[in-house]
Amino acid sequence: MTDTSAAAHLATTEKTSILRVITYAGAIIAFLIGSGFATGQEILQYYASYGFWGVFGTGLLVLVLISYVAVEFFLTGRREQFEKPSGVFYHYCGRYLGTFFDFFSILFVFLSFTVMISGAGAVFEEYYGLSKYIGGVALAAAVGLTVWFGLTSLVDVIGKIGPVIVVVAIALGVYGIMRDPEGISTGNAILPSLDVTQASSNWFLAGLSYVGFCMLWLAAFLSALGKTVKNRREATGGALLGGIAFSAACMVVGLGLLANIEQVYDAEIPMLVLAGDLGPWVGALISAMILAGIYTTAIPLLWTVSARFFDDKTKKFKYLTIALAALGTIVGLVLPFSQMVNIVYVINGYVGIVLLALMIIRTIRHLTARSSH
């Protein structure tokens, strides 16, 4: 057996670590929750605003597609060992479209980072009664310092925080449902009379758009993380667990918001409205959870942009990280948070659908080629 094949055999047969599977899943969840999920604004616009069909239709569509996308990016990154994370776009899209997605995704990922800044500012303003500039600057400083230390420490940090935030978010969603069990059907009935911001003209397009923007976030990050994965089972297990857990959390929180739609439909931070009746200490806990969710997503977003131009941990990488954090703070504090979510995520989600289609075509070709041999 050659050295190369021996190494490949060892990587395949090495014992699967459940802890690593959970950590990978946690990193995916933590990346996806962000300011939109943690605040409830994203779930309101993509799920609850369409009623029953939005919560379950969008939810199941996202569950299937996000799980597929996460597994595919992980395994492709592990197999191809891209020199730069952006190599994943050229792999799926070819030279010309790959170049477009490479630069478009970097712009979108940076704009998504500005949405995180905006979300932190909104929490400071709406809950703490402080200037949004304090929240935005504080988040940018914390994220910039974390990214300064590189990808390995980054996964360790966000992989542990992510699952905790999802558990708290699900608990809050369940509370929203239990507080008024009939509120879900009532909310579904009164939705047409409320001016709720929606992500698209119908739940199906909203679901595709949701997966589309999540993909543009995940592509470079997961393909880079895939290079470090010990074996195929850990990659597949972590990706599936992360995709399923995240989608299930979205549906539960969506039901909680739908059950209280009259109170939350026009709020910047719907989750804080849900927590309001539970007492000040719960509100403080939820606001801390939201900020943690924003932090865990902002870190890999900022890392992805810096890593596109310079190698992780180099001096140029570190200086660019600080410059981007400063620029993101300025951009993110201009527009209201709910507007930022609707504009940045929705437009980019539709572009992401094209990448999804190209990925599915390549996967089908790959499976067809394997079955023919």
Side-chain angles (χ1 to χ4, degrees):
M1 192 180 282
T2 64
D3 289 345
T4 308
S5 59
H9 178 72
L10 183 65
T12 310
T13 56
E14 186 180 329
K15 190 177 178 183
T16 302
S17 164
I18 299 299
L19 182 60
R20 275 200 295 264
V21 168
I22 293 170
T23 301
Y24 293 143
I28 292 169
I29 293 166
F31 195 172
L32 291 175
I33 49 181
S35 63
F37 174 90
T39 59
Q41 189 60 240
E42 190 178 288
I43 306 301
L44 182 64
Q45 292 188 26
Y46 282 89
Y47 289 77
S49 64
Y50 301 97
F52 290 136
W53 273 108
V55 174
F56 295 109
T58 303
L60 292 172
L61 181 67
V62 169
L63 188 151
V64 171
L65 293 177
I66 282 290
S67 299
Y68 157 71
V69 163
V71 171
E72 184 70 13
F73 283 147
F74 248 136
L75 293 181
T76 301
R78 178 176 176 269
R79 184 179 66 245
E80 301 294 333
Q81 295 287 307
F82 298 117
E83 190 176 330
K84 283 188 172 291
S86 57
V88 70
F89 296 115
Y90 297 92
H91 173 76
Y92 287 113
C93 310
R95 181 181 171 189
Y96 299 109
L97 265 180
T99 302
F100 166 77
F101 274 106
D102 180 7
F103 288 99
F104 180 86
S105 69
I106 287 302
L107 174 63
F108 167 57
V109 166
F110 176 70
L111 289 174
S112 297
F113 172 71
T114 70
V115 175
M116 300 304 124
I117 298 290
S118 181
V123 173
F124 268 67
E125 195 168 53
E126 194 157 299
Y127 184 75
Y128 297 109
L130 298 171
S131 167
K132 66 180 183 179
Y133 296 100
I134 296 174
V137 170
L139 177 75
V143 171
L145 284 171
T146 308
V147 174
W148 183 281
F149 294 105
L151 180 64
T152 309
S153 59
L154 185 158
V155 173
D156 289 340
V157 170
I158 71 171
K160 304 295 186 293
I161 298 174
V164 176
I165 297 169
V166 166
V167 169
V168 175
I170 289 174
L172 197 56
V174 169
Y175 165 73
I177 298 165
M178 298 297 290
R179 186 170 66 173
D180 182 11
E182 294 180 6
I184 296 174
S185 55
T186 304
N188 192 63
I190 65 170
L191 256 177
S193 65
L194 300 174
D195 185 21
V196 188
T197 303
Q198 294 182 320
S200 188
S201 56
N202 60 70
W203 66 267
F204 186 77
L205 282 177
L208 286 178
S209 171
Y210 193 68
V211 173
F213 88 73
C214 287
M215 284 177 64
L216 290 177
W217 279 8
L218 290 171
F221 179 64
L222 286 190
S223 59
L225 188 55
K227 290 171 69 173
T228 69
V229 172
K230 299 285 183 184
N231 64 53
R232 187 183 178 88
R233 280 172 301 187
E234 285 181 2
T236 305
L240 284 175
L241 180 61
I244 292 167
F246 173 72
S247 304
C250 287
M251 287 190 270
V252 172
V253 173
L255 284 175
L257 293 176
L258 182 59
N260 299 271
I261 196 71
E262 210 166 359
Q263 288 78 47
V264 302
Y265 80 94
D266 59 350
E268 287 286 298
I269 317 288
M271 293 293 261
L272 283 177
V273 177
L274 280 189
D277 294 342
L278 289 171
W281 71 272
V282 178
L285 175 68
I286 299 302
S287 66
M289 179 207 81
I290 291 169
L291 290 171
I294 293 171
Y295 170 73
T296 60
T297 295
I299 295 168
L301 289 174
L302 186 57
W303 177 88
T304 298
V305 182
S306 294
R308 167 61 185 81
F309 300 101
F310 300 112
D311 290 336
D312 197 16
K313 292 187 176 180
T314 60
K315 276 189 177 179
K316 287 181 177 178
F317 173 89
K318 293 179 177 182
Y319 294 146
L320 179 61
T321 293
I322 299 305
L324 289 171
L327 178 61
T329 306
I330 296 166
V331 176
L333 294 172
V334 173
L335 289 175
F337 174 56
S338 55
Q339 274 185 255
M340 290 283 286
V341 170
N342 196 256
I343 294 168
V344 174
Y345 288 3
V346 174
I347 292 172
N348 293 283
Y350 289 126
V351 176
I353 293 171
V354 178
L355 177 60
L356 175 63
L358 292 168
M359 279 179 68
I360 292 171
I361 291 167
R362 189 176 178 95
T363 301
I364 292 169
R365 283 178 179 167
H366 180 67
L367 292 173
T368 306
R370 281 180 62 183
S371 64
S372 64
H373 286 300

